[in-house]
Each structure stands twice: as C-alpha cells, then as structure tokens.
Amino acid sequence: MHRLPNPACFLGLAFALLLAPIAASAQIALLPKVGSTGLGGDIAIALTDRVSVRGGIGTIPIEFEGVEIDGLKYDITTPDLFTTVGLDLRVAGPLRLIGGLLFRSGDFEYETFSTGTIEIGNQTFTETGRLFGKWKNNTTSPYVGIGLGSTTGSGLGLFLDAGVAFTGDPEITAEVDGNLANVPGVLAEVERERQNINDDIPGYAEYWPFVQIGFRLGIG
C-alpha cells in the first residue's frame, strides 16, 4: 500500500544541505530524533546567535494491525515519509520558538479482509474481498511550537520540540474489491461505512501533534 516518496518531501533536507556551503563557518549540528514525524534526523545550521535553520526527514517504520473502527478491525499503514524545514529562534536560555513547514509523502491507509463473512454498514455480506481506504488531508502543512534545548552548538546535548501542524480537515475514502465489489447493494453500505468512520473522527483531527525528542551532535 506504500507509495514512492514524493520528491517534494526531500525539500527540508535539501534546503539544509544547500545552505551548508554558505554557512561553512557557522555552527552545524546533526539531530537524530524520534517523535510524531517518526524516526529520523535533522541538520541544523546557526545563522546568528539566536536563529538557526533546520531541515530533516522521518519515517514511521511500523504498521498498526487489528485497530478496531466501527466494529471492524483494520490494518493501518502510515505515510512513507515526513519532511520538515523551518527556523528555530532562541528567546531565553534553553527556550526556543519553532516554526516551518511539514511535508508528508503518502496518506494513512486502512484495509480489512473478508474471508467469507463481513459486516459493512448495516448489512452482512458472505463474499470474499477487501474493504480499504485512505485518510487524506493536506500534504504540506505549517507548524509552530516551542522547544527546549539548543539545536546548534558544539558537543552533545538533548532537545525537545512540542507544537502543532495545521493539516486541515481529513477526507475519508472507502472502496471494496474482490467478489465483494460485485454484490448488489454493497456500494451503498460501503458509503455508509465511510460515513460511520468519518463520524468517529474527532474535531481536533485537523491538527497533527508536532512532538520530537532527540540529541544534538555539534560538528562545527
């Protein structure tokens, strides 16, 4: 179900790498990290004593199996890649303000299989097939937040970012294939199931938590 990464998702890392030659005399740091954008890393370059630019990538290397939604158990696949590019502003001591853009390659996808009996919407069908769909929202989203710990400087250090990305209202899709797709009335029940899933989505789902923790390795 995974798709190839969108080239735009490499923008954050490419941006930081392009800045590296013109900031050769500045402080540069590698930032291995883990959080809501997955497992990955950033490159940070200090532009001034207080301002640094960061770009990085992350991926969620797991799939979620057996997640129950509206009475059915789904397997959920995560997007291929998260990429960020943004600025850090040190305001006082270890406190930073952060902001930038979050890019996502791919969507959250779900699927469940029928080996002979499956309840979709308000009906039970006795055919084999698959019910599947996507959770779709903005693939490019601004984010803001606060951070603790320096992301540039020599030596080792810890850092924490906490904020929110504004991803927009999600759109849920739903489809069936296999023998299920040929059963009369199944499409109406699939639409009912899609609406049931949509109704279960909380209002705050248009926001994505932007939380990262990692350590700094200064190299310049």
Side-chain angles (χ1 to χ4, degrees):
M1 293 178 65
H2 278 299
R3 297 185 295 181
L4 291 176
N6 189 317
C9 288
F10 294 100
L11 178 60
L13 185 58
F15 185 58
L17 291 174
L18 286 172
L19 279 177
I22 65 174
S25 61
Q27 293 178 338
I28 302 174
L30 302 179
L31 307 169
K33 64 180 184 179
V34 65
S36 60
T37 58
L39 178 66
D42 288 0
I43 294 177
I45 301 173
L47 301 181
T48 72
D49 290 341
R50 291 185 175 272
V51 179
S52 60
V53 62
R54 287 169 61 184
I57 59 175
T59 185
I60 301 176
I62 58 175
E63 296 184 4
F64 301 92
E65 298 181 352
V67 178
E68 186 168 332
I69 305 174
D70 194 41
L72 290 175
K73 291 187 176 181
Y74 293 96
D75 295 336
I76 298 177
T77 304
T78 60
D80 298 299
L81 202 64
F82 294 90
T83 307
T84 56
V85 59
L87 294 174
D88 287 7
L89 172 63
R90 184 168 62 85
V91 291
L95 181 64
R96 293 175 285 110
L97 298 180
I98 63 173
L101 292 174
L102 170 66
F103 305 92
R104 190 190 74 244
S105 175
D107 298 301
F108 289 91
E109 303 182 14
Y110 66 90
E111 65 179 359
T112 187
F113 294 89
S114 170
T115 57
T117 301
I118 187 172
E119 183 177 339
I120 303 177
N122 292 336
Q123 293 192 33
T124 300
F125 299 93
T126 56
E127 296 288 346
T128 58
R130 179 174 64 121
L131 171 63
F132 61 99
K134 297 180 180 181
W135 169 303
K136 304 173 68 175
N137 52 15
N138 298 337
T139 56
T140 301
S141 309
Y143 72 85
V144 295
I146 59 174
L148 291 175
S150 177
T151 53
T152 55
S154 61
L156 294 173
L158 297 175
F159 73 92
L160 169 68
D161 297 327
V164 62
F166 303 91
T167 55
D169 290 329
E171 175 189 354
I172 305 299
T173 68
E175 302 178 63
V176 288
D177 60 13
N179 294 333
L180 268 175
N182 301 318
V183 178
V186 70
L187 294 183
E189 295 306 317
V190 168
E191 173 57 23
R192 189 190 304 275
E193 185 70 19
R194 186 198 69 81
Q195 189 59 55
N196 288 343
I197 295 174
N198 189 74
D199 291 343
D200 287 339
I201 296 175
Y204 53 79
E206 62 185 288
Y207 308 104
W208 179 254
F210 189 84
V211 179
Q212 303 181 132
I213 187 171
F215 65 89
R216 179 195 75 247
L217 174 60
I219 59 175

